Amino acid sequence: MLRIGVVGCGAIGREHINRITNRLAGGKVVAVSDLYVEGAHQVGDPLGATVYSNSADLVNDPDVDAIICTTPAFAHKETVIQALEAGKPIFCEKPLTTTAEDSLELAEIEMELGKKLIQVGFMRRFDESYTQVKDLLDSGEFGAPLYLRCSHWFPEVDDGFTTEMAVYDAAIHEIDVIHWLLNERYESAQVMFPRQTGKKNPELKDPQIMHIRCKSGVIATIEVFLNCQFGYDISCQIVCENGVIDLPKPPRPLLRRSGGQTIPLDENWKNHWMRAYDLEIQQWIDAVRAGELTGPNAWDGVIANVTADALLRAQQNEGQIEPIAVGPRPDFYK
Ligand code: ISE
């Protein structure tokens, strides 16, 4: 049984604790930590888990074999370094860090260690809709992809959600999944702000239209609209030489009533990606127990952060094309 310590007992931390405890196999949450220690007790005490107010004590607990980091992104680096220093595998929720520089530092430490210990929470790679799309692309039947149209629509976000978070908290998923789908390196980024919705925090740029050009010339457009009001909806359409592939929507009931018919949208990301998260964390547990990580690694985190940094620069210089300068994948991360 893999003895897991969870650092961060907020929304996604509680989700992972719940899935490990009630749905997945091979793992047990034996320790939890949070700076808000009362919150850690709320989730840890019913499990009989050891409760800490800091990550270092949890990481170095001899009864903890592996760590899941679900703190806010700005705090990821500290916990990942602690895990690397302890030689323990760590699943770090996305993004790996909030800057390319910090993610590169973690990759360099890991390469120095000579063992892959980091997996990054790019869960769309485990989503069965995306794996179907990847299989179709990899089949070659559709020919070369030419351009992608993606949308990341959120019903509403609170006032703490910033223009920058639209990149490194929301679109970071498209940033990762697009280069995974296409097996492509990125070349440049551009951001445009269309007419802004009135239904938002005045400080937030919303919606945003992000363009990423790949080395092959493929252009991916990502529409991020965080206060769309109508529901949580993710789309990805890939236009290829021989046809078009649309990301399947998650199976939801067709409802007929009052003379009409509707297919309900999800209210948020938790239930939208429930199965993908389950598959992702189960794969991580199995991989750690087998002694070899196979999921998104620190270099995928570096690619995402370098690209995100370019998009952040592009936000500051609307319409300007910003280079995405990430080197080739080191052999260590092949
Ligand atoms: C959230 O943290 C997630 O990871 C969701 O998948 C994403 O859609 C949302 O924008 C993020 O805030």
Side-chain angles (χ1 to χ4, degrees):
M1 182 68 79
L2 184 67
R3 300 172 301 175
I4 300 167
V6 178
V7 176
C9 297
I12 189 63
R14 292 168 186 247
E15 288 286 307
H16 289 338
I17 290 167
N18 177 48
R19 63 175 41 90
I20 291 165
T21 305
N22 298 310
R23 288 200 299 277
L24 305 186
K28 176 175 171 54
V29 176
V30 298
V32 297
S33 76
D34 199 292
L35 294 178
Y36 171 54
V37 73
E38 291 77 12
H41 276 291
Q42 284 166 11
V43 291
D45 291 354
L47 302 175
T50 306
V51 176
Y52 293 103
S53 61
N54 69 87
S55 56
D57 290 346
L58 178 144
V59 168
N60 293 304
D61 181 332
D63 292 334
V64 169
D65 302 319
I67 295 99
I68 289 180
C69 178
T70 53
T71 59
F74 67 83
H76 287 179
K77 179 181 175 185
E78 178 188 29
T79 302
V80 173
I81 289 177
Q82 289 163 355
L84 294 178
E85 288 173 347
K88 295 185 179 181
I90 181 164
F91 175 94
C92 180
E93 265 301 340
K94 42 48 73 174
L96 178 56
T97 70
T98 53
T99 68
E101 182 184 2
D102 284 348
S103 287
L104 272 167
E105 182 184 339
L106 295 180
E108 284 158 6
I109 295 171
E110 192 176 43
M111 284 191 276
E112 187 66 30
L113 278 175
K115 179 172 173 54
K116 278 189 276 195
L117 294 173
I118 299 169
Q119 179 163 328
V120 186
F122 291 127
M123 37 53 67
R124 294 195 188 175
R125 299 183 182 206
F126 301 88
D127 177 73
E128 288 157 340
S129 295
Y130 277 102
T131 54
Q132 289 180 63
V133 169
K134 183 160 178 59
D135 290 345
L136 287 167
L137 283 168
D138 290 350
S139 73
E141 290 170 33
F142 284 77
L146 305 176
Y147 61 94
L148 287 78
R149 305 161 63 191
C150 305
S151 61
H152 190 145
W153 293 337
F154 219 94
E156 60 182 3
V157 291
D158 62 32
D159 287 351
F161 209 101
T162 64
T163 298
E164 295 77 13
M165 286 173 70
V167 170
Y168 71 74
D169 186 77
I172 201 84
H173 284 295
E174 277 80 11
I175 292 170
D176 175 71
V177 83
I178 289 167
H179 82 77
W180 173 74
L181 284 172
L182 303 180
N183 193 23
E184 272 261 21
R185 288 177 60 193
Y186 292 149
E187 181 168 271
S188 61
Q190 182 187 44
V191 174
M192 305 285 281
F193 301 119
R195 180 176 183 177
Q196 300 287 281
T197 177
K199 301 177 186 297
K200 67 177 177 73
N201 166 8
E203 303 300 310
L204 173 68
K205 289 284 192 185
D206 190 43
Q208 301 186 36
I209 297 178
M210 305 173 190
H211 301 288
I212 296 175
R213 180 186 287 275
C214 301
K215 294 285 185 191
S216 67
V218 170
I219 292 178
T221 298
I222 308 166
E223 303 168 10
V224 177
F225 188 9
L226 298 167
N227 294 281
C228 72
Q229 308 299 302
F230 53 77
Y232 181 85
D233 189 42
I234 301 294
S235 71
C236 177
Q237 182 179 74
I238 304 172
V239 180
C240 305
E241 287 173 308
N242 304 336
V244 179
I245 305 169
D246 275 85
L247 181 72
K249 296 290 184 186
R252 298 291 180 268
L254 173 64
L255 308 177
R256 290 179 177 87
R257 54 187 161 191
S258 315
Q261 57 184 18
T262 57
I263 296 176
L265 287 171
D266 292 322
E267 291 174 10
N268 62 44
W269 48 269
K270 289 178 192 174
N271 50 15
H272 191 86
W273 303 113
M274 182 77 72
R275 173 113 178 99
Y277 279 122
D278 285 355
L279 291 168
E280 174 191 44
I281 300 296
Q282 185 64 70
Q283 177 274 341
W284 176 73
I285 291 170
D286 296 345
V288 171
R289 296 182 73 191
E292 185 179 6
L293 295 183
T294 55
N297 55 45
W299 195 256
D300 296 304
V302 167
I303 293 170
N305 276 117
V306 171
T307 307
D309 280 4
L311 283 164
L312 294 178
R313 292 195 303 273
Q315 285 180 333
Q316 296 300 314
N317 308 300
E318 183 181 0
Q320 192 163 310
I321 294 175
E322 295 288 341
I324 300 172
V326 60
R329 184 179 289 266
D331 290 342
F332 180 80
Y333 287 110
K334 286 268 179 9

